mmCIF file of all heavy atoms in Angstrom:
data_model
loop_
_atom_site.group_PDB
_atom_site.id
_atom_site.type_symbol
_atom_site.label_atom_id
_atom_site.label_comp_id
_atom_site.label_asym_id
_atom_site.label_seq_id
_atom_site.Cartn_x
_atom_site.Cartn_y
_atom_site.Cartn_z
ATOM 1 N N ILE A 151 -40.553 -15.336 -42.320
ATOM 2 C CA ILE A 151 -39.502 -16.339 -42.097
ATOM 3 C C ILE A 151 -38.986 -16.265 -40.664
ATOM 4 O O ILE A 151 -38.784 -17.295 -40.000
ATOM 5 C CB ILE A 151 -38.369 -16.135 -43.111
ATOM 6 C CG1 ILE A 151 -38.848 -16.484 -44.531
ATOM 7 C CG2 ILE A 151 -37.161 -16.999 -42.748
ATOM 8 C CD1 ILE A 151 -37.847 -16.151 -45.607
ATOM 9 N N SER A 152 -38.751 -15.054 -40.182
ATOM 10 C CA SER A 152 -38.259 -14.911 -38.806
ATOM 11 C C SER A 152 -39.302 -15.383 -37.793
ATOM 12 O O SER A 152 -38.963 -15.981 -36.761
ATOM 13 C CB SER A 152 -37.888 -13.445 -38.547
ATOM 14 O OG SER A 152 -39.016 -12.599 -38.690
ATOM 15 N N LYS A 153 -40.582 -15.164 -38.107
ATOM 16 C CA LYS A 153 -41.632 -15.611 -37.198
ATOM 17 C C LYS A 153 -41.698 -17.129 -37.159
ATOM 18 O O LYS A 153 -41.858 -17.730 -36.082
ATOM 19 C CB LYS A 153 -42.974 -15.024 -37.656
ATOM 20 C CG LYS A 153 -44.128 -15.343 -36.729
ATOM 21 C CD LYS A 153 -45.401 -14.681 -37.210
ATOM 22 C CE LYS A 153 -46.578 -14.994 -36.293
ATOM 23 N NZ LYS A 153 -47.844 -14.371 -36.778
ATOM 24 N N GLU A 154 -41.569 -17.775 -38.301
ATOM 25 C CA GLU A 154 -41.592 -19.236 -38.334
ATOM 26 C C GLU A 154 -40.389 -19.828 -37.616
ATOM 27 O O GLU A 154 -40.504 -20.857 -36.943
ATOM 28 C CB GLU A 154 -41.634 -19.724 -39.789
ATOM 29 C CG GLU A 154 -42.951 -19.445 -40.493
ATOM 30 C CD GLU A 154 -42.935 -19.893 -41.940
ATOM 31 O OE1 GLU A 154 -41.864 -20.396 -42.379
ATOM 32 O OE2 GLU A 154 -43.956 -19.747 -42.626
ATOM 33 N N SER A 155 -39.225 -19.206 -37.765
ATOM 34 C CA SER A 155 -38.037 -19.717 -37.076
ATOM 35 C C SER A 155 -38.181 -19.601 -35.564
ATOM 36 O O SER A 155 -37.766 -20.496 -34.815
ATOM 37 C CB SER A 155 -36.798 -18.965 -37.549
ATOM 38 O OG SER A 155 -36.892 -17.590 -37.237
ATOM 39 N N GLN A 156 -38.796 -18.534 -35.095
ATOM 40 C CA GLN A 156 -39.020 -18.383 -33.660
ATOM 41 C C GLN A 156 -40.007 -19.423 -33.147
ATOM 42 O O GLN A 156 -39.824 -19.989 -32.066
ATOM 43 C CB GLN A 156 -39.534 -16.976 -33.353
ATOM 44 C CG GLN A 156 -38.502 -15.877 -33.573
ATOM 45 C CD GLN A 156 -39.073 -14.491 -33.329
ATOM 46 O OE1 GLN A 156 -40.253 -14.346 -33.004
ATOM 47 N NE2 GLN A 156 -38.239 -13.471 -33.493
ATOM 48 N N GLU A 157 -41.044 -19.685 -33.917
ATOM 49 C CA GLU A 157 -41.998 -20.711 -33.500
ATOM 50 C C GLU A 157 -41.359 -22.083 -33.486
ATOM 51 O O GLU A 157 -41.662 -22.922 -32.624
ATOM 52 C CB GLU A 157 -43.210 -20.711 -34.433
ATOM 53 C CG GLU A 157 -44.083 -19.465 -34.315
ATOM 54 C CD GLU A 157 -45.249 -19.493 -35.279
ATOM 55 O OE1 GLU A 157 -45.299 -20.435 -36.100
ATOM 56 O OE2 GLU A 157 -46.092 -18.579 -35.223
ATOM 57 N N THR A 158 -40.455 -22.326 -34.422
ATOM 58 C CA THR A 158 -39.770 -23.618 -34.453
ATOM 59 C C THR A 158 -38.863 -23.792 -33.244
ATOM 60 O O THR A 158 -38.748 -24.891 -32.690
ATOM 61 C CB THR A 158 -38.959 -23.748 -35.751
ATOM 62 O OG1 THR A 158 -39.830 -23.555 -36.873
ATOM 63 C CG2 THR A 158 -38.319 -25.120 -35.865
ATOM 64 N N ASP A 159 -38.202 -22.724 -32.830
ATOM 65 C CA ASP A 159 -37.314 -22.818 -31.675
ATOM 66 C C ASP A 159 -38.088 -23.047 -30.380
ATOM 67 O O ASP A 159 -37.628 -23.779 -29.495
ATOM 68 C CB ASP A 159 -36.473 -21.541 -31.564
ATOM 69 C CG ASP A 159 -35.537 -21.381 -32.752
ATOM 70 O OD1 ASP A 159 -35.241 -22.397 -33.414
ATOM 71 O OD2 ASP A 159 -35.116 -20.237 -33.042
ATOM 72 N N THR A 160 -39.236 -22.423 -30.253
ATOM 73 C CA THR A 160 -40.021 -22.577 -29.026
ATOM 74 C C THR A 160 -40.836 -23.861 -29.013
ATOM 75 O O THR A 160 -41.237 -24.328 -27.945
ATOM 76 C CB THR A 160 -40.979 -21.389 -28.870
ATOM 77 O OG1 THR A 160 -41.815 -21.291 -30.035
ATOM 78 C CG2 THR A 160 -40.202 -20.081 -28.719
ATOM 79 N N ARG A 161 -41.072 -24.444 -30.176
ATOM 80 C CA ARG A 161 -41.867 -25.668 -30.250
ATOM 81 C C ARG A 161 -41.039 -26.848 -29.730
ATOM 82 O O ARG A 161 -39.844 -26.944 -29.999
ATOM 83 C CB ARG A 161 -42.276 -25.912 -31.698
ATOM 84 C CG ARG A 161 -43.287 -27.032 -31.899
ATOM 85 C CD ARG A 161 -43.582 -27.175 -33.374
ATOM 86 N NE ARG A 161 -44.033 -25.906 -33.951
ATOM 87 C CZ ARG A 161 -44.121 -25.691 -35.251
ATOM 88 N NH1 ARG A 161 -43.780 -26.641 -36.112
ATOM 89 N NH2 ARG A 161 -44.535 -24.511 -35.699
ATOM 90 N N PRO A 162 -41.629 -27.781 -28.972
ATOM 91 C CA PRO A 162 -40.862 -28.944 -28.494
ATOM 92 C C PRO A 162 -40.410 -29.805 -29.669
ATOM 93 O O PRO A 162 -41.157 -30.059 -30.621
ATOM 94 C CB PRO A 162 -41.866 -29.692 -27.593
ATOM 95 C CG PRO A 162 -43.216 -29.208 -28.028
ATOM 96 C CD PRO A 162 -43.021 -27.787 -28.475
ATOM 97 N N LYS A 163 -39.171 -30.246 -29.572
ATOM 98 C CA LYS A 163 -38.593 -31.042 -30.662
ATOM 99 C C LYS A 163 -39.118 -32.470 -30.596
ATOM 100 O O LYS A 163 -39.308 -33.036 -29.524
ATOM 101 C CB LYS A 163 -37.072 -31.035 -30.554
ATOM 102 C CG LYS A 163 -36.465 -29.645 -30.740
ATOM 103 C CD LYS A 163 -34.954 -29.719 -30.675
ATOM 104 C CE LYS A 163 -34.344 -28.325 -30.859
ATOM 105 N NZ LYS A 163 -32.848 -28.358 -30.794
ATOM 106 N N LEU A 164 -39.332 -33.022 -31.762
ATOM 107 C CA LEU A 164 -39.806 -34.397 -31.858
ATOM 108 C C LEU A 164 -38.629 -35.355 -31.727
ATOM 109 O O LEU A 164 -37.606 -35.194 -32.396
ATOM 110 C CB LEU A 164 -40.515 -34.625 -33.198
ATOM 111 C CG LEU A 164 -41.838 -33.885 -33.403
ATOM 112 C CD1 LEU A 164 -42.365 -34.148 -34.799
ATOM 113 C CD2 LEU A 164 -42.858 -34.300 -32.366
ATOM 114 N N ASP A 165 -38.789 -36.332 -30.852
ATOM 115 C CA ASP A 165 -37.774 -37.361 -30.678
ATOM 116 C C ASP A 165 -38.219 -38.593 -31.451
ATOM 117 O O ASP A 165 -39.103 -39.338 -31.018
ATOM 118 C CB ASP A 165 -37.606 -37.676 -29.191
ATOM 119 C CG ASP A 165 -36.463 -38.651 -28.952
ATOM 120 O OD1 ASP A 165 -35.704 -38.912 -29.907
ATOM 121 O OD2 ASP A 165 -36.325 -39.148 -27.813
ATOM 122 N N LEU A 166 -37.610 -38.793 -32.608
ATOM 123 C CA LEU A 166 -37.982 -39.913 -33.476
ATOM 124 C C LEU A 166 -37.107 -41.135 -33.272
ATOM 125 O O LEU A 166 -37.199 -42.094 -34.048
ATOM 126 C CB LEU A 166 -37.905 -39.477 -34.948
ATOM 127 C CG LEU A 166 -38.815 -38.299 -35.331
ATOM 128 C CD1 LEU A 166 -38.635 -37.955 -36.801
ATOM 129 C CD2 LEU A 166 -40.267 -38.596 -35.032
ATOM 130 N N GLY A 167 -36.235 -41.107 -32.270
ATOM 131 C CA GLY A 167 -35.370 -42.243 -32.022
ATOM 132 C C GLY A 167 -36.115 -43.371 -31.313
ATOM 133 O O GLY A 167 -37.164 -43.178 -30.688
ATOM 134 N N PHE A 168 -35.574 -44.581 -31.398
ATOM 135 C CA PHE A 168 -36.163 -45.736 -30.752
ATOM 136 C C PHE A 168 -35.844 -45.705 -29.259
ATOM 137 O O PHE A 168 -34.708 -45.458 -28.854
ATOM 138 C CB PHE A 168 -35.622 -47.033 -31.358
ATOM 139 C CG PHE A 168 -36.179 -47.334 -32.705
ATOM 140 C CD1 PHE A 168 -35.453 -47.059 -33.850
ATOM 141 C CD2 PHE A 168 -37.438 -47.889 -32.844
ATOM 142 C CE1 PHE A 168 -35.964 -47.324 -35.088
ATOM 143 C CE2 PHE A 168 -37.960 -48.160 -34.081
ATOM 144 C CZ PHE A 168 -37.226 -47.881 -35.209
ATOM 145 N N LYS A 169 -36.881 -45.971 -28.488
ATOM 146 C CA LYS A 169 -36.670 -46.118 -27.067
ATOM 147 C C LYS A 169 -36.068 -47.496 -26.781
ATOM 148 O O LYS A 169 -36.039 -48.367 -27.636
ATOM 149 C CB LYS A 169 -37.999 -45.941 -26.321
ATOM 150 C CG LYS A 169 -38.737 -44.645 -26.614
ATOM 151 C CD LYS A 169 -37.918 -43.456 -26.196
ATOM 152 C CE LYS A 169 -38.714 -42.157 -26.372
ATOM 153 N NZ LYS A 169 -39.030 -41.862 -27.777
ATOM 154 N N GLU A 170 -35.606 -47.669 -25.567
ATOM 155 C CA GLU A 170 -34.996 -48.936 -25.200
ATOM 156 C C GLU A 170 -36.052 -50.027 -25.178
ATOM 157 O O GLU A 170 -37.083 -49.915 -24.511
ATOM 158 C CB GLU A 170 -34.335 -48.810 -23.828
ATOM 159 C CG GLU A 170 -33.578 -50.055 -23.411
ATOM 160 C CD GLU A 170 -32.881 -49.865 -22.080
ATOM 161 O OE1 GLU A 170 -32.957 -48.750 -21.523
ATOM 162 O OE2 GLU A 170 -32.266 -50.827 -21.607
ATOM 163 N N GLY A 171 -35.817 -51.082 -25.957
ATOM 164 C CA GLY A 171 -36.765 -52.189 -26.048
ATOM 165 C C GLY A 171 -37.897 -51.976 -27.023
ATOM 166 O O GLY A 171 -38.741 -52.852 -27.182
ATOM 167 N N GLN A 172 -37.931 -50.864 -27.723
ATOM 168 C CA GLN A 172 -39.014 -50.585 -28.660
ATOM 169 C C GLN A 172 -38.724 -51.236 -29.999
ATOM 170 O O GLN A 172 -37.583 -51.234 -30.475
ATOM 171 C CB GLN A 172 -39.177 -49.076 -28.840
ATOM 172 C CG GLN A 172 -40.363 -48.676 -29.708
ATOM 173 C CD GLN A 172 -40.502 -47.166 -29.838
ATOM 174 O OE1 GLN A 172 -39.656 -46.430 -29.345
ATOM 175 N NE2 GLN A 172 -41.551 -46.730 -30.490
ATOM 176 N N THR A 173 -39.722 -51.814 -30.610
ATOM 177 C CA THR A 173 -39.589 -52.475 -31.903
ATOM 178 C C THR A 173 -40.657 -51.966 -32.840
ATOM 179 O O THR A 173 -41.659 -51.381 -32.417
ATOM 180 C CB THR A 173 -39.724 -54.001 -31.765
ATOM 181 O OG1 THR A 173 -41.002 -54.309 -31.198
ATOM 182 C CG2 THR A 173 -38.626 -54.573 -30.875
ATOM 183 N N ILE A 174 -40.449 -52.206 -34.118
ATOM 184 C CA ILE A 174 -41.415 -51.837 -35.141
ATOM 185 C C ILE A 174 -41.724 -53.057 -35.980
ATOM 186 O O ILE A 174 -40.960 -54.028 -36.003
ATOM 187 C CB ILE A 174 -40.896 -50.685 -36.029
ATOM 188 C CG1 ILE A 174 -39.611 -51.102 -36.753
ATOM 189 C CG2 ILE A 174 -40.673 -49.428 -35.224
ATOM 190 C CD1 ILE A 174 -39.131 -50.079 -37.745
ATOM 191 N N LYS A 175 -42.826 -53.014 -36.669
ATOM 192 C CA LYS A 175 -43.273 -54.104 -37.519
ATOM 193 C C LYS A 175 -43.393 -53.593 -38.937
ATOM 194 O O LYS A 175 -44.039 -52.582 -39.180
ATOM 195 C CB LYS A 175 -44.618 -54.647 -37.038
ATOM 196 C CG LYS A 175 -45.135 -55.817 -37.866
ATOM 197 C CD LYS A 175 -46.467 -56.313 -37.318
ATOM 198 C CE LYS A 175 -47.009 -57.461 -38.150
ATOM 199 N NZ LYS A 175 -48.326 -57.928 -37.643
ATOM 200 N N LEU A 176 -42.756 -54.295 -39.864
ATOM 201 C CA LEU A 176 -42.782 -53.918 -41.275
ATOM 202 C C LEU A 176 -43.583 -54.944 -42.042
ATOM 203 O O LEU A 176 -43.380 -56.161 -41.871
ATOM 204 C CB LEU A 176 -41.359 -53.833 -41.841
ATOM 205 C CG LEU A 176 -40.430 -52.800 -41.196
ATOM 206 C CD1 LEU A 176 -39.047 -52.883 -41.825
ATOM 207 C CD2 LEU A 176 -40.983 -51.409 -41.360
ATOM 208 N N ASN A 177 -44.482 -54.489 -42.877
ATOM 209 C CA ASN A 177 -45.257 -55.356 -43.768
ATOM 210 C C ASN A 177 -44.676 -55.253 -45.171
ATOM 211 O O ASN A 177 -44.764 -54.216 -45.814
ATOM 212 C CB ASN A 177 -46.731 -54.945 -43.756
ATOM 213 C CG ASN A 177 -47.384 -55.193 -42.419
ATOM 214 O OD1 ASN A 177 -47.036 -56.135 -41.721
ATOM 215 N ND2 ASN A 177 -48.330 -54.344 -42.048
ATOM 216 N N ILE A 178 -44.070 -56.332 -45.607
ATOM 217 C CA ILE A 178 -43.438 -56.379 -46.921
ATOM 218 C C ILE A 178 -44.256 -57.308 -47.800
ATOM 219 O O ILE A 178 -44.700 -58.379 -47.365
ATOM 220 C CB ILE A 178 -41.984 -56.861 -46.822
ATOM 221 C CG1 ILE A 178 -41.203 -55.951 -45.867
ATOM 222 C CG2 ILE A 178 -41.321 -56.884 -48.197
ATOM 223 C CD1 ILE A 178 -39.789 -56.389 -45.629
ATOM 224 N N GLY A 179 -44.480 -56.901 -49.039
ATOM 225 C CA GLY A 179 -45.269 -57.714 -49.952
ATOM 226 C C GLY A 179 -44.627 -59.049 -50.266
ATOM 227 O O GLY A 179 -43.418 -59.249 -50.148
ATOM 228 N N ASN A 180 -45.480 -60.033 -50.662
ATOM 229 C CA ASN A 180 -45.046 -61.377 -51.045
ATOM 230 C C ASN A 180 -44.324 -62.093 -49.917
ATOM 231 O O ASN A 180 -43.384 -62.856 -50.130
ATOM 232 C CB ASN A 180 -44.156 -61.334 -52.293
ATOM 233 C CG ASN A 180 -44.871 -60.764 -53.482
ATOM 234 O OD1 ASN A 180 -46.080 -60.928 -53.629
ATOM 235 N ND2 ASN A 180 -44.139 -60.086 -54.356
ATOM 236 N N MET A 181 -44.732 -61.835 -48.702
ATOM 237 C CA MET A 181 -44.137 -62.506 -47.554
ATOM 238 C C MET A 181 -45.239 -63.287 -46.844
ATOM 239 O O MET A 181 -46.393 -62.869 -46.803
ATOM 240 C CB MET A 181 -43.509 -61.497 -46.595
ATOM 241 C CG MET A 181 -42.286 -60.792 -47.168
ATOM 242 S SD MET A 181 -40.898 -61.902 -47.425
ATOM 243 C CE MET A 181 -40.455 -62.240 -45.720
ATOM 244 N N PRO A 182 -44.912 -64.461 -46.281
ATOM 245 C CA PRO A 182 -45.946 -65.258 -45.593
ATOM 246 C C PRO A 182 -46.413 -64.558 -44.343
ATOM 247 O O PRO A 182 -45.649 -63.896 -43.645
ATOM 248 C CB PRO A 182 -45.218 -66.568 -45.267
ATOM 249 C CG PRO A 182 -43.766 -66.208 -45.245
ATOM 250 C CD PRO A 182 -43.606 -65.120 -46.278
ATOM 251 N N THR A 183 -47.687 -64.664 -44.056
ATOM 252 C CA THR A 183 -48.278 -64.084 -42.856
ATOM 253 C C THR A 183 -48.797 -65.208 -41.970
ATOM 254 O O THR A 183 -48.804 -66.389 -42.351
ATOM 255 C CB THR A 183 -49.425 -63.133 -43.232
ATOM 256 O OG1 THR A 183 -50.408 -63.861 -43.995
ATOM 257 C CG2 THR A 183 -48.911 -61.977 -44.080
ATOM 258 N N LYS A 184 -49.245 -64.820 -40.777
ATOM 259 C CA LYS A 184 -49.757 -65.823 -39.857
ATOM 260 C C LYS A 184 -51.052 -66.440 -40.371
ATOM 261 O O LYS A 184 -51.330 -67.608 -40.154
ATOM 262 C CB LYS A 184 -49.988 -65.184 -38.494
ATOM 263 C CG LYS A 184 -48.695 -64.776 -37.816
ATOM 264 C CD LYS A 184 -48.973 -64.227 -36.424
ATOM 265 C CE LYS A 184 -47.673 -63.836 -35.728
ATOM 266 N NZ LYS A 184 -47.931 -63.294 -34.377
#
């Protein structure tokens, strides 16, 4: 457990936030497509 916690601290953290101007596309069922 202590070894995993140390690896987690040294590992670069993932930034899952949206960047400025970034968008995502969602595919929802029963919706018209192009």
Side-chain angles (χ1 to χ4, degrees):
I151 292 173
S152 61
K153 184 177 180 181
E154 290 178 358
S155 62
Q156 291 177 359
E157 292 179 354
T158 304
D159 295 338
T160 57
R161 189 181 305 167
K163 296 182 180 180
L164 293 177
D165 185 10
L166 300 179
F168 286 100
K169 305 298 185 295
E170 185 177 357
Q172 185 179 5
T173 59
I174 61 174
K175 181 179 179 181
L176 299 178
N177 293 327
I178 303 176
N180 299 328
M181 292 293 290
T183 58
K184 292 184 179 180

